[in-house]
């Protein structure tokens, strides 16, 4: 028997961007607990914009569990917010709107800035550092500074310890900007892991006195914004696909352009300008290996007779991967398979 520290993590009711909240439940288990062993737990929804003060209890329903190597007997418990009955999803619970589909695979590329004293890490107190060019995948103090690499390396290790399926990390185009990629099979897997990876990064940065800046365009001017490209495929896209189906799918993406943009993260008009490797927000197009398109077709997709995955480049760094996955799957199921 050991006393485990269960860190219940949930998304609050703030709009347009929910914040990560968490609190610790201490509980005895013989060994590392499985999801089925974890109880529902309550919290005060009136402090998170999820309830009125008079009847303020909301419930936390565990949905995914990860080891937390920063704490002795630590457990990270991703939870959905439920109404007091414990079985009705709260209106802020977008995970509950994601269609269950074990054949749906998502890969998210999360870009973000590290911020200190209100500016990107490595920016001078006055003015700007040298313009973009040598920062992307850069090496050396001049390109990436000192503490940033330490943070991203620690973050990678903590995520791997937790069993999060990181596929890679890189320094990005702007100074102080970084990226990690997470891939998951099953419609909710990658989204769960992106939220837990964000959580781990936020907590890690506390001790450095650094904040993670997820806003999609934190510095105006000739500096890249931050995206969260959503790579997606279904079993049908991978196994059958074909030109006719692909064109029908893209027609549906064009038809639902506004519905997609609505959940692709706030302030996206500042980022989707047609510059800095983006398509403008009010257009929809697709293109082979085209980083200025809304949806990029990887070479592998064309070489494989329209089979494989596609990259929606519009979601931004502050987007909720649950809402993004939910919308993409809604559009996909609106298209009949031939
Ligand atoms: P780039 O920066 O060139 O867009 P990355 O390597 O950063 O490419 O990201 C590619 C993403 O595609 C990865 O997150 C990967 O997990 C994802 N991916 C690869 N194959 C599939 C697939 N079959 N279905 C969904 N996503 C996929
Ligand atoms: Mn990438
Ligand atoms: Mn990138
Ligand atoms: Mn990409």
């Amino acid at each position: 028997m050991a006393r485990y520290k269960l860190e219940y993590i949930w998304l609050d009711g703030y709009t347009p961007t929910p914040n990560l909240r968490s609190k610790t439940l201490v509980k005895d288990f013989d060994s590392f607990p499985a999801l089925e062993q974890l109880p529902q737990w309550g919290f005060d929804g009136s402090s998170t914009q999820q309830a009125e003060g008079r009847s303020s209890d909301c419930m936390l329903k565990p949905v995914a569990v990860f080891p937390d190597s920063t704490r002795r007997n630590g457990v990270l418990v991703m939870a959905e917010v439920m109404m007091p009955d414990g079985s009705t999803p709260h209106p802020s619970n977008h995970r509950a709107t994601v269609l269950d589909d074990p054949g749906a695979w998502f890969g998210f590329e999360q870009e973000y800035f590290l911020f200190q004293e209100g500016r990107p890490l490595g920016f001078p107190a006055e003015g700007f550092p040298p313009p973009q060019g040598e920062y992307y995948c850069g090496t050396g103090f001049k390109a990436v500074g000192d503490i940033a690499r330490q943070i991203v390396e620690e973050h990678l290790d903590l995520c791997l310890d937790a069993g999060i399926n990181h596929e890679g990390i890189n320094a990005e185009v702007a100074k102080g900007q970084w990226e990690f990629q997470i891939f998951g099979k099953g419609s909710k897997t990658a989204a769960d892991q992106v939220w837990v990876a964000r959580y781990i990064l936020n907590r890690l940065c506390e001790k450095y006195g650094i904040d993670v800046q997820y806003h999609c365009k934190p510095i105006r001017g000739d500096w890249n914004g931050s995206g969260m490209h959503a790579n997606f495929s279904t079993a049908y896209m991978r196994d059958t696909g074909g030109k006719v189906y692909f064109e029908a799918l893209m027609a549906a993406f064009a038809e639902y352009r506004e519905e997609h943009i609505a959940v692709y993260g706030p302030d996206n008009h500042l980022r989707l300008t047609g510059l800095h490797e983006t398509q403008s927000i009010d257009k929809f197009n697709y293109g082979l290996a085209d980083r200025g398109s809304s949806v990029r077709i990887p070479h592998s997709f064309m070489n494989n007779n329209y089979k494989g995955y596609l990259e929606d480049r519009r979601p931004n760094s502050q987007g909720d991967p649950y809402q993004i996955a939910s919308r993409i799957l809604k559009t996909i199921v609106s298209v009949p398979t031939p």
Side-chain angles (χ1 to χ4, degrees):
M1 206 61 119
R3 311 227 72 194
Y4 281 85
K5 299 169 198 145
L6 312 175
E7 193 72 13
Y8 279 59
I9 301 168
W10 74 97
L11 299 175
D12 69 16
Y14 282 66
T15 54
T17 312
N19 300 289
L20 283 158
R21 308 277 181 143
S22 76
K23 60 174 183 160
T24 311
L25 177 66
V26 179
K27 214 170 157 49
D28 292 329
F29 292 100
D30 288 330
S31 58
F32 190 85
L35 184 60
E36 301 72 48
Q37 293 174 277
L38 301 174
Q40 287 207 5
W41 194 22
F43 71 96
D44 168 17
S46 72
S47 300
T48 60
Q49 300 201 354
Q50 282 161 315
E52 301 293 333
R54 276 168 288 116
S55 121
S56 64
D57 273 13
C58 293
M59 298 303 288
L60 295 171
K61 175 184 151 193
V63 293
V65 53
F66 308 86
D68 180 357
S69 65
T70 66
R71 278 169 133 182
R72 193 149 51 88
N73 296 328
V75 186
L76 298 169
V77 181
M78 192 66 203
E80 277 187 24
V81 176
M82 310 301 284
M83 300 301 280
D85 66 11
S87 57
T88 309
H90 187 274
S92 65
N93 177 354
H94 296 289
R95 188 182 188 277
T97 72
V98 183
L99 289 171
D100 275 312
D101 179 359
W105 299 355
F106 285 94
F108 293 105
E109 305 169 50
Q110 171 77 65
E111 296 179 337
Y112 62 95
F113 280 83
L114 295 173
F115 255 56
Q116 200 169 36
E117 288 162 16
R119 59 182 188 270
L121 199 56
F123 269 49
E126 306 278 338
F128 293 92
Q132 291 185 167
E134 295 179 15
Y135 304 126
Y136 171 73
C137 298
T139 57
F141 176 76
K142 191 156 67 79
V144 294
D146 46 6
I147 208 76
R149 175 112 41 207
Q150 191 177 326
I151 292 171
V152 300
E153 289 292 327
E154 264 183 71
H155 179 242
L156 177 59
D157 282 337
L158 295 177
C159 287
L160 295 177
D161 288 348
I164 289 174
N165 194 32
H166 265 252
E167 291 210 315
I169 56 174
N170 60 272
E172 265 304 338
V173 174
K175 179 129 197 172
Q177 190 187 31
W178 295 81
E179 169 176 314
F180 58 82
Q181 302 108 33
I182 290 178
F183 174 75
K185 296 182 178 179
S187 47
K188 303 176 188 185
T189 309
D192 284 337
Q193 295 191 4
V194 166
W195 274 118
V196 175
R198 286 177 177 177
Y199 174 85
I200 290 172
L201 185 59
N202 290 358
R203 283 225 1 198
L204 172 65
C205 285
E206 290 169 2
K207 72 177 180 199
Y208 291 99
I210 284 171
D211 274 307
V212 189
Q213 173 59 268
Y214 292 102
H215 190 272
C216 72
K217 197 73 182 181
I219 342 159
R220 305 293 173 90
D222 207 8
W223 295 92
N224 270 36
S226 297
M228 187 171 64
H229 300 161
N231 301 273
F232 62 93
S233 64
T234 58
Y236 189 86
M237 288 168 66
R238 293 188 302 274
D239 300 341
T240 310
K243 188 162 191 267
V244 172
Y245 178 70
F246 167 75
E247 284 173 354
L249 194 59
M250 290 300 96
F253 269 72
E255 181 184 346
Y256 294 116
R257 185 186 60 79
E258 282 181 44
E259 288 82 351
H260 280 254
I261 292 295
V263 296
Y264 278 4
D267 297 331
N268 223 357
H269 60 285
L270 300 175
R271 165 178 165 264
L272 297 179
T273 56
L275 301 172
H276 302 112
E277 303 177 39
T278 67
Q279 172 56 287
S280 90
I281 193 164
D282 49 12
K283 296 210 180 89
F284 177 85
N285 73 337
Y286 56 87
L288 179 64
D290 178 2
R291 286 167 193 273
S293 59
S294 316
V295 168
R296 177 171 68 96
I297 311 168
H299 282 295
S300 61
F301 190 88
M302 290 308 258
N303 296 341
N304 213 0
N305 195 22
Y306 294 86
K307 275 195 286 201
Y309 74 96
L310 296 168
E311 177 189 47
D312 193 333
R313 299 177 59 78
R314 298 168 297 169
N316 79 32
S317 45
Q318 219 172 12
D320 170 3
Y322 293 136
Q323 294 183 57
I324 295 164
S326 177
R327 182 62 244 180
I328 289 175
L329 290 177
K330 276 197 187 88
T331 299
I332 289 177
V333 300
S334 78
V335 179
T337 45

